[in-house]
Amino acid sequence: MGFLRMEYGRDGMRLTWSVFPFAVMLALSSLVGPARASPDYTEALRLSLYFFEAQRSGYLPADQRVNWRSHSGLNDGKDQNVGPSYLWTCALYDSIIHSFSLEKITSLVGIQNLSHQSLDSAWCSLAMIYSMLRKWSFGFCIRHVIWGVIEIDLVGGYYDAGDNVKFQLPMAFTVTTLAWSVIEYRSQLQKQGQLDHALKSIKWGTDYFIKAHPEPNVLWAEVGDGTTDHECWMRPEDMTTSRQAYKVDANNPGTEVVAETAAAMAAASIVFKYSDPGYSNTLLTHAKQASLWNFVILHTISYGLANEKLYRSTSDDWTIVLRLQLFTFGDTHRGNYDRSIPIVKGYYPSVSGYGDELLWASFWLFEATGDENYLEYTSVKAQELGGTGWAMTQFGWDVKYSGLQVLASKILMQGRGGAHTSTLQSYQRQASYFLCAALSRNNGKNIQRSPGGLFWIQPWNNMQFVTSAAFLLTVYADYLKAANQELTCSGSPVQTSELSGTAQKQIDYILGHNPRGMSYMVGFSNNYPKEVHHRGSSIVSIKVDSAHVQCKDGYATWYKKPQANPNVLLGALVGGPDANDNFIDDRDNYQMTEACLYNNGPLVGVLARLSVGPTYQGETERPEFWTPVLPKAPDSPRSPPPPPSTYHNVPYESYHITQWVKHSWVASGKTYYKYEGAFTNKHGKDLKNFVISFNQLYGPVYGLNPVSGSQTSFTFPEWLTTLKPGQKLTFVYIQPYPMASISLKKTSYSS
């Protein structure tokens, strides 16, 4: 019995015919031995986030924990200066601004007493300010035409694996999956003291993505190239190899990489939106200062998605404007990115096409904005782009179908499908195919396993598919449990514990519960790969020996040295063993010993989930979610929601609770209200602890942390431990019902 499969390595893709070794697996399964105690998931989680710091490019921060690394790639993008750049024309400006009435513009931008003359002046002024902020060498405005020489800044981001190239497609996928991990398991990360490190790892990527997208229809998709980079074995701090940068634009499209970057930024926006009030206020300030600029940007996008409704729901957040540009750019200017950048074909070719990335990005934009247009897009384009047609047995940087199908299933199980429920059910059926294949319950069309039980897809960096599959199994089990539903495979029901248990066993294998007794995460336990295929790790740190390591000297002196790497690449997950659980720890064995960034994105989520307790063997507690499932609405009809002017105060001597309606919108025939609130400490002492309870709450609360085991009681968010006298703590919730009532249950003040 066999099947065709796609194999992904950093040398491209191959189609192979695989024979599943059923007899061999059964004969050797006894090698696994008796059950052992679970690995230390908390320690593995801690280490997994170190690897992101080891892969950083650019100026390293003062709190860098991987201290054998130093600054690198400091001139990335500097050689790509372009100009003069014709960015906006008088015709474009007039077609946008002067096609709207002043009343309409006034209502959209929130500025009174506007005239077309004042708009013209504001346009030029904003253009000049924007040009300076983007580090243009010069800029001037003549009749709404902006010219300039742009200095491209591509410093930052992540190196891909054991080399020193920055590949945007896998980097963006890494950030998307890492953000997804935080979205689902934020409280678990916080409990283990790793949330801050996860947030910094995401932001290191998104900061770079903002740089890589300097114009609406331009995305820089690669810095360096594998061909010249692989000719040398050098520390990133010593690089003399080509740092040529490659971009996609309207004339040279790259839908896959553009849509994946949009997905990453959308997912990351969910992570950051309510986690830090200072950061949120900064974004809000910038949004208010640039309200006209936001308006102009939004309405230069094709009107397929960027309509007035979308503007109203997102005008407070500049990052959403950027995501809109990226998604619309990718959807409007379709084309395979490896045709526009042929040099990437040898490393990260697009085999699955761009349909999955467009759907993937659209689902994430729906999650980030709540805008029905994105969900409608995934419904209308479901067949055309393969979302409800392709059933896969892998999920990774190229093939996103299984991931987006699981994400669609989450929306369905949370009752948010609305008019698109039937299409989401089709997505869910394809997600079930992947999950049942992982459980070996798919009528023979299952994911192959090694004799020791490891998911097996391909020889080159097989671990990328192990961690991504484990993540999908884990989140899906939690979605099912929260929705009180079950998976069906070949007509038989499956317990959620089987899903989460299968995921846990894959992680246990990675961490040492395998025939070799080896951990494939570097630094975990005493038996792990010592000769990792990684330039920076295998060469003495520049802080220890600053002598420049020449291109070929690195191969002669360090690459062939039969010793453990001088710098331990903590948390790196290497490619792993072969189909028979064999592993050769040799730096030259790059298929097995190279570690890639995207191996760790989904791994963080699974480890966070496992770190707070078992996922099977009698688990009874419901997992905590950053975005909880909406409770069932009351059966009896409720009174209509209050008008937006409603304002509610609960003043007391020691505290003050205020709520108000920020704005509302209509979706699927329902009027939704965004409620904002504030808790003010009026006591003369510091408030050290408090618990407030919501009554008639039918959605998540942002800006507060749920009390363990409750969906209606909340306390300080993880970033705040004390509320000073007079200080205010704000929160937000959304529901299509009247304002919830809030009461104070517990307080504790400083002595």
Side-chain angles (χ1 to χ4, degrees):
M1 178 115 190
F3 56 91
L4 276 172
R5 70 174 182 226
M6 289 180 283
E7 288 189 358
Y8 293 85
R10 299 181 67 257
D11 61 344
M13 179 279 294
R14 298 182 294 276
L15 286 174
T16 62
W17 181 263
S18 295
V19 178
F20 192 88
F22 294 104
V24 175
M25 187 186 76
L26 291 173
L28 299 180
S29 60
S30 60
L31 291 175
V32 180
R36 288 169 281 188
S38 296
D40 187 344
Y41 302 121
T42 300
E43 173 64 6
L45 172 63
R46 184 183 72 85
L47 292 174
S48 69
L49 289 162
Y50 268 81
F51 182 53
F52 291 95
E53 296 188 28
Q55 296 301 103
R56 285 172 172 170
S57 178
Y59 292 97
L60 302 186
D63 61 357
Q64 170 84 5
R65 296 179 297 168
V66 180
N67 55 23
W68 50 266
R69 282 293 322 281
S70 189
H71 310 313
S72 63
L74 304 184
N75 291 313
D76 285 357
K78 298 299 193 322
D79 295 335
Q80 312 307 137
N81 292 349
V82 293
S85 177
Y86 181 73
L87 297 181
W88 307 99
T89 66
C90 178
L92 175 62
Y93 174 86
D94 287 341
S95 68
I96 297 167
I97 297 295
H98 292 270
S99 62
F100 288 85
S101 68
L102 287 175
E103 291 77 12
K104 173 67 72 173
I105 297 173
T106 298
S107 66
L108 286 171
V109 302
I111 301 175
Q112 302 299 318
N113 301 320
L114 285 175
S115 67
H116 279 302
Q117 289 76 15
S118 63
L119 285 173
D120 292 350
S121 299
W123 169 261
C124 285
S125 300
L126 283 169
M128 289 295 292
I129 295 171
Y130 184 72
S131 70
M132 289 185 285
L133 290 176
R134 295 307 305 166
K135 299 182 180 180
W136 291 2
S137 299
F138 62 89
F140 54 91
C141 184
I142 301 176
R143 282 189 49 77
H144 329 303
V145 179
I146 305 171
W147 295 77
V149 175
I150 306 174
E151 183 181 89
I152 303 300
D153 178 6
L154 297 177
V155 176
Y158 288 108
Y159 298 120
D160 169 64
D163 53 23
N164 301 322
V165 184
K166 294 191 289 196
F167 293 103
Q168 180 74 8
L169 181 59
M171 191 196 310
F173 175 73
T174 301
V175 171
T176 308
T177 53
L178 182 57
W180 196 358
S181 293
V182 174
I183 289 167
E184 302 299 346
Y185 302 117
R186 189 184 192 101
S187 63
Q188 289 87 340
L189 285 161
Q190 173 64 27
K191 183 175 181 179
Q192 302 301 342
Q194 300 303 315
L195 179 59
D196 185 56
H197 298 305
L199 297 181
K200 288 177 180 177
S201 296
I202 294 170
K203 193 172 185 295
W204 192 269
T206 52
D207 285 349
Y208 173 76
F209 298 161
I210 292 171
K211 291 181 177 183
H213 182 229
E215 300 177 49
N217 289 344
V218 172
L219 179 70
W220 292 91
E222 182 177 336
V223 178
D225 69 83
T227 302
T228 59
D229 184 90
H230 288 190
E231 291 176 355
C232 299
W233 193 259
M234 308 177 72
R235 297 176 297 209
E237 295 85 358
D238 287 332
M239 279 189 297
T240 58
T241 51
S242 170
R243 301 307 289 170
Q244 174 72 31
Y246 303 86
K247 68 178 179 179
V248 294
D249 54 29
N251 296 321
N252 302 282
T255 301
E256 302 93 339
V257 67
V258 171
E260 181 58 63
T261 304
M265 299 190 78
S269 74
I270 300 171
V271 169
F272 290 114
K273 195 159 190 178
Y274 298 105
S275 62
D276 184 340
Y279 182 61
S280 178
N281 289 337
T282 299
L283 287 175
L284 185 60
T285 299
H286 281 279
K288 289 179 178 179
Q289 290 175 344
S291 57
L292 178 60
W293 180 254
N294 288 4
F295 167 75
V296 172
I297 293 291
L298 277 169
H299 288 80
T300 61
I301 302 171
S302 62
Y303 268 74
L305 290 173
N307 54 24
E308 182 181 330
K309 170 187 170 184
L310 190 58
Y311 172 79
R312 287 200 305 268
S313 66
T314 63
S315 61
D316 287 343
D317 194 339
W318 166 257
T319 61
I320 293 179
V321 177
L322 184 59
R323 293 194 310 271
L324 283 167
Q325 295 179 59
L326 280 167
F327 179 77
T328 308
F329 167 34
D331 190 33
T332 304
H333 304 287
R334 293 189 185 183
N336 297 110
Y337 94 114
D338 56 3
R339 293 185 179 179
S340 297
I341 308 175
I343 200 166
V344 80
K345 281 188 176 181
Y347 304 92
Y348 290 101
S350 175
V351 179
S352 67
Y354 51 70
D356 51 343
E357 277 87 6
L358 285 173
L359 293 171
W360 174 245
S362 194
F363 273 120
W364 276 116
L365 284 162
F366 173 71
E367 289 290 84
T369 66
D371 190 273
E372 289 280 332
N373 286 309
Y374 290 115
L375 194 58
E376 183 177 1
Y377 181 93
T378 65
S379 183
V380 172
K381 300 289 186 180
Q383 281 290 336
E384 175 191 338
L385 299 179
T388 55
W390 282 105
M392 309 298 293
T393 56
Q394 60 184 249
F395 171 50
W397 58 263
D398 182 29
V399 184
K400 314 293 190 335
Y401 284 112
S402 296
L404 67 90
Q405 288 156 358
V406 166
L407 193 57
S409 301
K410 175 186 179 181
I411 296 168
L412 177 68
M413 285 189 277
Q414 291 184 343
R416 296 185 284 132
H420 312 292
T421 295
S422 62
T423 305
L424 292 177
Q425 289 171 340
S426 296
Y427 277 105
Q428 187 179 38
R429 282 191 288 272
Q430 304 301 61
S432 297
Y433 182 96
F434 172 86
L435 298 161
C436 294
L439 299 175
S440 297
R441 283 172 164 259
N442 214 21
N443 286 330
K445 298 178 182 178
N446 300 313
I447 298 178
Q448 180 179 337
R449 300 193 191 197
S450 72
L454 183 70
F455 289 153
W456 177 256
I457 302 294
Q458 66 176 42
W460 198 323
N461 189 25
N462 181 64
M463 284 301 186
Q464 63 178 304
F465 300 109
V466 178
T467 60
S468 62
F471 179 79
L472 294 186
L473 286 164
T474 300
V475 297
Y476 203 86
D478 285 340
Y479 298 158
L480 287 171
K481 180 173 287 190
N484 196 27
Q485 297 182 21
E486 64 182 11
L487 173 68
T488 299
C489 294
S490 301
S492 300
V494 177
Q495 297 295 318
T496 56
S497 60
E498 186 174 346
L499 287 160
S500 53
T502 299
Q504 181 169 352
K505 289 172 183 176
Q506 294 301 306
I507 301 303
D508 288 355
Y509 185 108
I510 289 173
L511 298 179
H513 287 199
N514 55 63
R516 296 183 60 85
M518 169 175 274
S519 164
Y520 293 104
M521 175 182 283
V522 178
F524 186 85
S525 79
N526 295 320
N527 186 18
Y528 58 84
K530 304 297 196 301
E531 294 190 36
V532 182
H533 182 91
H534 188 276
R535 284 161 174 76
S537 172
S538 66
I539 302 174
V540 64
S541 170
I542 196 169
K543 295 180 179 180
V544 175
D545 185 350
S546 61
H548 183 79
V549 177
Q550 300 290 335
C551 171
K552 302 298 183 182
D553 290 347
Y555 275 112
T557 305
W558 296 102
Y559 182 79
K560 297 179 181 180
K561 197 170 189 176
Q563 295 180 9
N565 289 358
N567 309 305
V568 180
L569 195 61
L570 291 176
L573 179 59
V574 299
D578 66 14
N580 293 309
D581 302 304
N582 298 312
F583 181 79
I584 300 173
D585 187 8
D586 189 319
R587 200 170 296 115
D588 193 44
N589 182 16
Y590 42 81
Q591 289 192 346
M592 293 184 177
T593 64
E594 186 170 23
C596 296
L597 193 66
Y598 41 89
N599 296 6
N600 282 42
L603 177 62
V604 168
V606 187
L607 290 172
R609 179 69 179 90
L610 290 169
S611 69
V612 296
T615 60
Y616 67 114
Q617 296 176 345
E619 178 190 52
T620 58
E621 292 186 2
R622 169 175 286 191
E624 296 180 28
F625 293 102
W626 177 246
T627 307
V629 178
L630 299 180
K632 183 180 178 181
D635 295 329
S636 58
R638 302 184 63 180
S639 57
S645 60
T646 297
Y647 189 89
H648 184 59
N649 284 318
V650 184
Y652 290 95
E653 182 177 347
S654 59
Y655 68 92
H656 188 188
I657 299 177
T658 305
Q659 294 189 79
W660 62 93
V661 178
K662 179 67 173 179
H663 62 78
S664 63
W665 64 94
V666 177
S668 300
K670 289 185 178 181
T671 301
Y672 287 81
Y673 287 83
K674 176 182 178 182
Y675 297 104
E676 292 190 358
F679 181 97
T680 305
N681 179 14
K682 296 180 65 180
H683 198 283
K685 297 180 179 180
D686 292 351
L687 179 63
K688 293 295 186 181
N689 185 26
F690 82 105
V691 176
I692 57 175
S693 178
F694 286 72
N695 187 30
Q696 295 185 322
L697 176 69
Y698 297 95
V701 176
Y702 303 101
L704 299 173
N705 212 33
V707 175
S708 179
S710 174
Q711 290 188 342
T712 58
S713 295
F714 298 83
T715 185
F716 281 131
E718 62 271 8
W719 39 261
L720 187 66
T721 58
T722 301
L723 200 65
K724 299 289 185 182
Q727 190 175 1
K728 182 186 299 183
L729 175 62
T730 59
F731 54 88
V732 174
Y733 62 95
I734 298 171
Q735 59 187 30
Y737 300 109
M739 188 179 291
S741 60
I742 303 176
S743 59
L744 184 67
K745 295 177 64 177
K746 176 182 177 182
T747 58
S748 174
Y749 292 91
S750 61
S751 57

